[in-house]
Amino acid sequence: MNSSNNICGVHNKSLKFICFDCNVLMCTLCSPKHTGHSYDHIENIKSNKNNNKEDHSNIYTDDNEINNKSNNSVRGMNDIQTSIKTTFDSLKLKVAEYEQLQQTEQEIESKFKELHEFLVVEEHRLKKPIIDNKEQLEQQIDKQIKIVKSLNSINNHINITNRSDSQSETISTADTTDNYQITTIIRSISQSTDHNEFISSNNNTLFYLDKSNKSMIDNHSLLNLLLEHNKSIKINNHHDNQQSKSQQYQLIINNEQINQIKNQIQSSFKLISNPSQQNQNKQSYIFSTDRKNKISIINITDRNNIYFEQQDIDLGMEMNRYSTAFNSIVKAGDFIYLFGGNTASCNKFIRYSINTKTVVINEMKGVDPCQYLSACYDGQDHIYLFDGNGKPKPVIYRYNIHDSTFERYSTIEIDTNYHHPTFLYKDYIYSFAPFTKKILKFDIHTKKTIELPIEVSKISYPSAACTDGNGNIYIYSKTELQRINIETNEIKSLDNSKININNDYNLIFLKSNDGQSYIYSVQGKDRNFVFSLGNNKWESILQNDQSDRSSCANIFYQ
């Protein structure tokens, strides 16, 4: 609709209304075409601004018909101040989001700046002896260049009278400052096949001789040159004898460790959107092996819908040797480690990447023949391996997750045989030995081990165990499920119902997103169960599982 001077071009009446749906101005006669739309009168808009929300249904006298329609319509700007406040509140939220993004960006920048500074320091540390030796060699090269210049000058003085310009073909070189730099001289020496080529290449710079001054070429000047040359040799030889001999270095690079460090750096930084929502929607899994050397990933996020998310990931090793290492499995960062197996010849360990879902197999160098290890991660740099099967004095090894090295860390003076769960609690490592029915407390710093005064002997045939991270050990025997508190030494029976189990395997404790606690027993086929501590009841799960997971490794991760 065209308008001029605030007059309706169709009805020649004043434009007093605005239709918010059509975004047009209109007069009284235009309004019927906008029935049901959201529109308002200019006086209503002004009065709402000045008088907030007072009733102005009678403010115009010549528009009674449209008055009624306007009062019954939805006004698009019935309160400008409210609109300003609402918009500003929205701005505040956007600014808060922006500042949060800016803060996260600064955190990323700060951490990578810290890494950059560390790498710069390491680079200079490695290069320092190289630079020192280069400077020493530069000094020696400079002194020997002076000797060559002196000798060349003597040679020229002796032979110049017997040599014409046509007899000596030289390479003309522009005389610039760069030609006197030590780096340029070194490059020239490297490119020259012999001394003649080197002198000829630098005849206009280092070895320049003014042939036009014939008066300087006599016996007296030659003798003076010989004196200066002899003096220079003595001084330089004296200094060279005082200097230490330069060293040669070779850089040895462990690409495997560098790649591990790169992977660890990548896994150390994660950028997640909507952190609060991410925590609510976090997925929970069980990493499970079987007797055919296959890995399965079980999704247990929803206890009412537990299913295999991935199956038959091949470990690529001989069947029945490594898969049955049921207590030697541990999660550290974004990797799952599985050490050894069920025979003493199992001298390898597996590292599974949760992010890439790939398996790497390496040797346990520095570890004696062992079987049925129990593993514990200290939450920082090391995994502790308890080796007690068939040994009068169990040995503790320590594995460094950063450089992938093993060390013999300590020996336990208590006969335990093999260990079930081994876990860290309040700076101590605790371990349950089912064969001798002992619970040990190991001090990482002093390397001392004591046996806790808990009457574990009352537990008949303990087959599997786990911990909740709060000082409780849950042990399943052939008679019942029991809980042991390592601080109060209390043993409590939880359930005496029987489930189908095999001897020696691991349980998995989990506190779910709904705050309920569960214990999983995954042995494959018809031996998969979950126990609700709230309901005190076992429930069968994964009935369609055809794999044999008895005595195999299982671990929870998110």
Side-chain angles (χ1 to χ4, degrees), residues 325-340:
F326 53 94
N327 279 311
S328 67
I329 189 168
V330 67
K331 177 182 176 295
D334 289 329
F335 295 95
I336 292 174
Y337 295 85
L338 185 61
F339 297 90

Side-chain angles (χ1 to χ4, degrees), residues 103 119 155 180 316 337 385 405 444 456 509:
Q103 180 183 348
L119 290 175
N155 183 62
Y180 297 91
Y337 295 85
L385 304 175
T405 58
I444 298 176
V456 186
F509 181 91

